[in-house]
Amino acid sequence: MRNDIPDFSRRSGRRHTRHLLTAWMILLLHSAAAFSSVNPHIVIILVDDMGYGDLACFNPESKIPTPQIDRLAASGMRFTDAHAPGPLCHVSRYGLLTGRYPFRTTFEWQTEPVIKEDEVTIASFLKTQGYQTAMVGKWHLGFKQDAEDDYTGVLTGGPIDRGFESFFGIRASTDIPPYFYIRGERAVMPPTSTIEANNSEGWFRNQGKFWRGGAIAPDLKLDEVLPRFTEEAIGVIRDYKASKTDSPLLLYLAYPAPHTPWLPSKEFVGSTRVDLYGDFMHMVDAHVGRVLSALEDADMTKDTLVIFTSDNGPTWYEADRAKYGHDSAGPLRGMKGDAWEGGHRMPFIARWPGCIQAASTSTQTICFTDLLATFADITTAELPATAGPDSFSFYPVLVGEHAEDDPIRGPIVMAANNTMLIRSGDWKLIDSLRSGGFSQEAANSSDGATGQLYNLKDDPGERNNLWLRYPERVAELSEQLAQIKREPKTRN
């Protein structure tokens, strides 16, 4: 059996030598100012349920104007093969923060913290490297609480207990009650009022102005959450600048949009040809632009690594494509929750002036789990042995050190509900015929295939199932999948 998967077990014993060389190259090419940004501020902007095809910089056929994010891409690097570690909100966030594949843990986020006390996060790690750490937005990874919690006490196990020095946000999505703001470890106001459930005519039940009924805090209005988070993030940047500290800043801004409910403010209503969703996505773009402008106003742009991406694929059906002529997943099959690419392949942009080449593109396959190792590489610090078990640094790709045809990491493995997939090079295996997610459809089984195999280089839309044609490849990938599931980590 042929095995052409490269060995990624090497961890950079040459890391510090390589970083010295890289630093000298940056110094020579980009001046002393660029050299000082080797340990940059880090701003991660994670939007919610945005598809690969929504941004014009990834899909020229998009019907939604996104000028601010497009400008960010023009000044940085686009990754065209970047993946969430899972195709749903909570699992994706877990992998991003911990560098660990979500299938390795359990998710009882309604009553328990998903991230355990002994797990290293990007925030707790960067804090050890002298960073100030702040989070704004949607947590969705649980707090320790009782079933009858009235939310008047301390909420433990959340961002403050997992490495963030400050937090302002909400516990989950803006369609999952109870709805209330949290600052630090306490509710700003407990959810003592009630809001009725809502749906939008002309959309599927889980689209449009959809939210579930339940408890809500008197000071929270669902249509004000997105603007409020922008103001809080700008406040973090301004307060940091005013503090005149020498410590770099980590800001993790997790917008709960364009996830439902789609609630564009008045100035964005009717601004696109894609109705509520397009208008709301246009609004998200404008708010991303406000945060980027705040960095500019604080004279922090040149010293900041900005990472922009989405947590998983969109909630966008075939009827929506036909009605609006817009494909939120672009050329990819599937949507939120799916094992198909539309569920987890995400637009991913990285900007770091002087270090990342403007208007550049990488086809490297990366995963959100890779952020932790990448940040360790940037700070030239070793990760603890148990940290980031599925994290591989793509720092060499960012700074142009790594050849595009040389994979920077090993296979990606993830779960989509009860369906597992493995992606290795051009090949992708899904261990069932199901999508696993919101598409609620299955691949054709009339030929007797029991799973799915695709060559994504030739078939990015995953329409030509090669399961029966290449049994050796099926066996090879199935064994790799089983091995990664058996082992507690993929990096050494």
Side-chain angles (χ1 to χ4, degrees):
M1 183 183 303
R2 188 171 70 90
N3 189 340
D4 57 1
I5 307 304
D7 177 14
F8 291 90
S9 62
R10 66 189 189 280
R11 229 7 227 179
S12 180
R14 302 185 301 271
R15 174 186 289 157
H16 295 288
T17 300
R18 176 167 59 75
H19 277 290
L20 286 173
L21 292 172
T22 302
W24 277 109
M25 289 171 63
I26 293 170
L27 178 64
L28 292 171
L29 293 174
H30 303 293
S31 82
F35 180 70
S36 68
S37 67
V38 170
N39 290 314
H41 309 299
I42 298 172
V43 174
I44 301 168
I45 303 176
L46 181 71
V47 299
D48 198 335
D49 284 15
M50 182 192 75
Y52 190 90
D54 284 331
L55 301 178
C57 54
F58 282 82
N59 175 23
E61 303 301 316
S62 174
K63 300 296 191 298
I64 302 172
T66 53
Q68 303 300 326
I69 301 170
D70 293 345
R71 274 195 283 272
L72 180 68
S75 58
M77 177 178 287
R78 292 184 312 117
F79 283 81
T80 60
D81 200 2
H83 295 263
L88 290 172
C89 304
H90 49 302
V91 293
S92 177
R93 291 155 203 275
Y94 173 82
L96 183 151
L97 287 171
T98 65
R100 187 170 183 241
Y101 287 146
F103 74 81
R104 301 193 190 279
T105 195
T106 57
F107 287 85
E108 301 293 338
W109 68 265
Q110 294 88 345
T111 57
E112 295 288 337
V114 177
I115 302 175
K116 304 301 183 284
E117 285 186 66
D118 61 349
E119 287 188 88
V120 175
T121 68
I122 57 175
S124 65
F125 173 75
L126 287 174
K127 196 173 175 181
T128 67
Q129 302 307 305
Y131 276 72
Q132 292 191 10
T133 58
M135 179 183 172
V136 174
K138 170 178 166 178
W139 177 238
H140 211 162
L141 290 172
F143 298 88
K144 181 66 177 177
Q145 58 193 89
D146 299 323
E148 302 302 322
D149 200 328
D150 62 2
Y151 303 102
T152 58
V154 175
L155 295 167
T156 59
I160 297 299
D161 293 326
R162 299 299 182 261
F164 291 100
E165 295 167 304
S166 68
F167 170 62
F168 181 87
I170 52 178
R171 62 188 287 274
S173 303
T174 42
D175 61 6
I176 302 177
Y179 308 107
F180 61 98
Y181 290 123
I182 303 166
R183 189 176 294 281
E185 297 175 286
R186 290 183 178 273
V188 175
M189 293 183 69
T192 54
S193 299
T194 302
I195 187 171
E196 297 297 322
N198 194 70
N199 293 99
S200 290
E201 185 177 349
W203 294 96
F204 287 90
R205 182 182 178 277
N206 59 344
Q207 293 180 303
K209 297 181 180 181
F210 162 74
W211 63 77
R212 298 168 180 86
I216 188 169
D219 67 332
L220 190 148
K221 304 293 187 291
L222 293 177
D223 61 349
E224 296 176 356
V225 173
L226 172 58
R228 178 68 184 274
F229 287 163
T230 298
E231 292 299 331
E232 290 286 339
I234 292 172
V236 168
I237 294 168
R238 288 175 176 167
D239 289 348
Y240 170 83
K241 186 66 175 179
S243 72
K244 301 186 185 302
T245 179
D246 291 330
S247 300
L249 172 68
L250 166 68
L251 170 59
Y252 170 43
L253 172 57
Y255 278 130
H259 192 293
T260 51
W262 301 338
L263 300 172
S265 55
K266 183 177 180 180
E267 63 266 35
F268 293 97
V269 172
S271 64
T272 76
R273 291 180 285 165
V274 195
D275 205 347
L276 280 176
Y277 179 75
D279 296 351
F280 198 38
M281 184 62 227
H282 190 196
M283 178 179 173
V284 170
D285 176 77
H287 280 268
V288 170
R290 290 190 61 201
V291 174
L292 298 177
S293 293
L295 289 173
E296 187 69 33
D297 293 343
D299 195 27
M300 292 170 62
T301 297
K302 68 179 184 300
D303 298 319
T304 300
L305 168 60
V306 175
I307 291 173
F308 173 88
T309 190
S310 175
D311 63 346
N312 51 248
T315 303
W316 200 248
Y317 297 90
E318 186 59 43
D320 303 320
R321 299 184 186 96
K323 183 175 182 179
Y324 297 106
H326 173 76
D327 197 334
S328 190
L332 308 177
R333 186 180 186 182
M335 58 177 170
K336 181 175 181 176
D338 287 348
W340 294 320
E341 294 290 284
H344 51 85
R345 189 189 293 207
M346 296 289 98
F348 191 101
I349 299 167
R351 183 187 74 182
W352 185 5
C355 295
I356 295 175
Q357 183 180 345
S360 57
T361 301
S362 175
T363 59
Q364 285 280 351
T365 305
I366 62 170
C367 181
F368 293 0
T369 57
D370 299 335
L371 289 180
L372 182 57
T374 301
F375 296 160
D377 235 357
I378 286 172
T379 58
T380 67
E382 291 290 341
L383 285 174
T386 58
D390 303 299
S391 192
F392 297 82
S393 173
F394 58 87
Y395 170 79
V397 177
L398 294 176
V399 296
E401 264 196 331
H402 198 86
E404 276 291 290
D405 59 357
D406 179 17
I408 198 70
R409 68 163 357 263
I412 293 173
V413 169
M414 76 178 71
N417 203 346
N418 294 320
T419 296
M420 294 291 296
L421 70 89
I422 180 170
R423 166 69 187 281
S424 184
D426 293 334
W427 292 93
K428 177 178 175 182
L429 178 141
I430 303 173
D431 71 356
S432 78
L433 293 171
R434 301 184 300 273
S435 73
F438 282 30
S439 290
Q440 296 183 341
E441 56 179 300
N444 187 355
S445 60
S446 61
D447 57 3
T450 57
Q452 302 172 65
L453 177 71
Y454 302 104
N455 184 310
L456 295 180
K457 181 179 180 180
D458 300 332
D459 180 26
E462 297 173 282
R463 297 295 178 181
N464 185 20
N465 187 359
L466 304 174
W467 183 273
L468 296 178
R469 189 178 301 178
Y470 294 101
E472 308 89 0
R473 182 67 68 176
V474 169
E476 175 188 328
L477 291 174
S478 297
E479 174 52 35
Q480 289 181 11
L481 174 60
Q483 180 180 348
I484 292 173
K485 288 171 64 177
R486 285 194 303 267
E487 298 295 330
K489 60 181 182 177
T490 52
R491 80 166 180 94
N492 292 330

